[in-house]
Amino acid sequence: MLLQSTYALVDLYWVQKLGTAEVAALSISLQAFFIILALAQMVAVTAQARISKNYGSGQLMIARSYFSSFLLVSTLLGIIAAASAYLCAEPYVRFFAPNPSDFELGSIKHEDAEAVIEQGLIYFKINAITFCTQLVIIVIGNAFRGSGDFLTPVKLMIAAVIINLVLDPLLIFGLAGLPEMGLAGAAWATVLAQVFVLIGYIFILARPPRDEREIRLGIPIMSRDFLVHLVQKGLPVGIQFSLLPIFLGLILYAMKPWGADWTATAGAGFRVLQQTLLPMVALGHASAAIAGQSFGAGSIDRVRQTSWTATRWMLVYGLIATLILFFAGRDLGRIFASDSDGLDLAQIYYWWSAPTVLAFSLSFVPSSVLQALSRPGLPLIAALARIIALTILILGVLPHFGLGPRWVFGAASATTFIEGGLGTWFMWIHLRTLDRQFATADGATTS
């Protein structure tokens, strides 16, 4: 996950050399990435929970059949998502970009607003391809982790990061005799890197397994029961992850009256902040895989130990990352800002947004563990509580009192603690229930 974060950081580093409009355009497309992430997690989290339980109970052939089924579903959804993104590119970009007709407000300039829309369309239409590739990659990676193989996704990500790192400057600036493509070059670099990852997975799945526990394709289970299971378990997860693009979308929408500079800062600032969340996502994936396998094997004590150990380390990391963002905000702004005004805005952003990381450290493990234990509705309730509170503040309270961007960032941080607190409480209650059920069953067996 740390390696994957370099995609965003490398893109920002090179794109900020093109100008503020290009950074703002890239930021708008970032929000759309979370839309596809929500769709991917609907399938991927369900797949990991199902496959990890099958591996924990020794049902390897069933696990492989489920893997094939989830892969077919993700491919179909990916094709539909990519086509829809391409067709909806213009209304999407215009919705989040500063409005050229309002150029007299604040610091918006008419030409800047038009440039954001133009560059946003260029990047988004190419990036629509990744709506398919990224979805399939996430599902395959989660299937590998559910089987206990965490190393293969890392190897492929290392290669993809190197490809993206090399292609970004070559395609953006037209080096080594290649055409100068600008922001479109950054989009194509990402597409080509992801295609390489897919080819790598296909090669691994096609070769003979080295041991019987390696994840492989099987006969798909495309039954009514499978589809019902996917909807029942995956839909709450998909809805929960869809709240993240809504979360960022509310912030970007609130920035529209303040111009391209604030839009670029909010989007690019969150893109950097997001990288500090990826280790927590990785820890969440690991705790879900271990908890799922332990639950499938009937080891409830190990489920509890995994959950609370991961939570403690998550909080330690969250506190450290929050302090780094708070005190090094201006330096981090150099990734996406090239002048003193942009660095000042970055500092303001991180002063108010750094606590978001600590708040998220409370939610990732409860969300992952509860989903692995087939209770996806509980983290969804916590996420809905956060988004409702943020919507009320951004669309109602803050505009009523004329409060600007920094208050928007502060509201985002405060409401994230609502989700984290509720999620941890839900996990605590559910783990206590599992423990009592395990003790009762054990006592009955002893008697």
Side-chain angles (χ1 to χ4, degrees):
M1 299 301 288
L2 282 170
L3 290 169
Q4 188 175 4
S5 71
T6 60
Y7 273 115
L9 299 183
V10 169
D11 283 350
L12 281 174
Y13 175 78
W14 292 113
V15 170
Q16 61 95 7
K17 298 179 181 296
L18 299 175
T20 301
E22 284 78 6
V23 174
L26 187 66
S27 302
I28 292 171
S29 292
L30 167 66
Q31 197 269 345
F33 165 77
F34 289 109
I35 298 175
I36 192 59
L37 180 63
L39 187 61
Q41 292 300 329
M42 174 181 171
V43 183
V45 172
T46 309
Q48 180 172 317
R50 181 71 269 168
I51 292 170
S52 65
K53 289 176 184 176
N54 290 140
Y55 264 82
S57 58
Q59 300 173 315
L60 303 187
M61 295 306 295
I62 295 178
R64 291 168 180 171
S65 294
Y66 273 117
F67 173 39
S68 297
S69 303
F70 286 116
L71 183 57
L72 284 174
V73 171
S74 65
T75 302
L76 178 60
L77 290 176
I79 293 172
I80 296 173
S84 301
Y86 184 86
L87 295 174
C88 298
E90 184 161 356
Y92 169 84
V93 171
R94 288 188 179 278
F95 182 80
F96 290 105
N99 191 344
S101 65
D102 295 334
F103 66 93
E104 72 276 2
L105 298 178
S107 61
I108 301 179
K109 297 178 182 179
H110 185 278
E111 58 271 19
D112 289 342
E114 289 286 4
V116 172
I117 295 173
E118 178 186 355
Q119 293 298 316
L121 287 173
I122 291 173
Y123 185 88
F124 193 81
K125 287 184 176 181
I126 300 171
N127 196 57
I129 300 173
T130 67
F131 277 46
C132 182
T133 56
Q134 188 70 22
L135 195 155
V136 175
I137 287 171
I138 290 174
V139 171
I140 296 177
N142 268 28
F144 272 77
R145 296 183 189 100
S147 71
D149 182 0
F150 289 85
L151 187 58
T152 297
V154 172
K155 291 180 179 178
L156 290 175
M157 187 55 63
I158 290 174
V161 166
I162 293 174
I163 292 172
N164 189 65
L165 184 67
V166 173
L167 289 181
D168 251 345
L170 292 179
L171 297 180
I172 291 174
F173 303 107
L175 305 179
L178 296 173
E180 183 177 349
M181 303 175 68
L183 190 57
W188 279 115
T190 301
V191 169
L192 293 173
Q194 291 188 9
V195 168
F196 175 86
V197 173
L198 277 179
I199 293 174
Y201 275 126
I202 292 172
F203 174 80
I204 292 171
L205 292 171
R207 66 170 171 76
R210 297 172 181 173
D211 65 72
E212 63 176 10
R213 291 186 62 85
E214 281 192 2
I215 189 71
R216 283 295 181 270
L217 297 174
I219 301 174
I221 306 174
M222 298 303 292
S223 63
R224 179 179 179 276
D225 290 341
F226 167 76
L227 296 176
V228 170
H229 172 78
L230 176 59
V231 172
Q232 288 181 340
K233 304 303 180 184
L235 189 59
V237 178
I239 295 174
Q240 180 187 350
F241 274 88
S242 70
L243 298 179
L244 190 55
I246 294 175
F247 173 79
L248 181 56
L250 284 169
I251 296 173
L252 290 176
Y253 183 81
M255 296 298 109
K256 289 183 66 172
W258 305 93
D261 289 342
W262 277 111
T263 298
T265 299
F270 185 82
R271 195 176 182 113
V272 175
L273 185 149
Q274 175 207 9
Q275 312 319 309
T276 67
L277 304 180
L278 291 180
M280 295 194 286
V281 175
L283 186 54
H285 280 313
S287 60
I290 297 172
Q293 289 186 7
S294 300
F295 185 70
S299 180
I300 305 303
D301 286 339
R302 194 164 189 240
V303 174
R304 293 186 63 194
Q305 180 186 16
T306 298
S307 303
W308 294 122
T309 300
T311 299
R312 286 194 294 269
W313 283 106
M314 191 79 82
L315 285 170
V316 171
Y317 171 81
L319 179 60
I320 294 173
T322 296
L323 292 174
I324 291 174
L325 287 173
F326 185 86
F327 289 107
R330 187 178 179 85
D331 292 328
L332 291 172
R334 298 182 188 280
I335 298 174
F336 56 86
S338 56
D339 54 38
S340 60
D341 291 339
L343 296 177
D344 290 341
L345 295 184
Q347 181 68 82
I348 293 172
Y349 174 82
Y350 288 114
W351 276 342
W352 289 78
S353 298
T356 304
V357 179
L358 181 60
F360 272 123
S361 71
L362 288 169
S363 64
F364 277 116
V365 171
S367 178
S368 301
V369 169
L370 288 170
Q371 288 160 3
L373 300 180
S374 299
R375 296 301 301 272
L378 295 177
L380 174 59
I381 293 173
L384 282 171
R386 176 194 64 172
I387 209 69
I388 290 172
L390 182 62
T391 301
I392 293 172
L393 289 173
I394 286 183
L395 300 184
V397 177
L398 298 183
H400 178 74
F401 292 99
L403 300 176
R406 65 190 66 199
W407 287 94
V408 174
F409 304 146
S413 296
T415 54
T416 306
F417 278 99
I418 297 176
E419 179 182 2
L422 281 176
T424 303
W425 183 58
F426 287 148
M427 184 178 71
W428 177 69
I429 292 176
H430 190 62
L431 290 179
R432 288 184 61 190
T433 303
L434 283 179
D435 188 57
R436 288 199 299 269
Q437 291 174 353
F438 177 75
T440 301
D442 187 53
T445 302
T446 304
S447 299

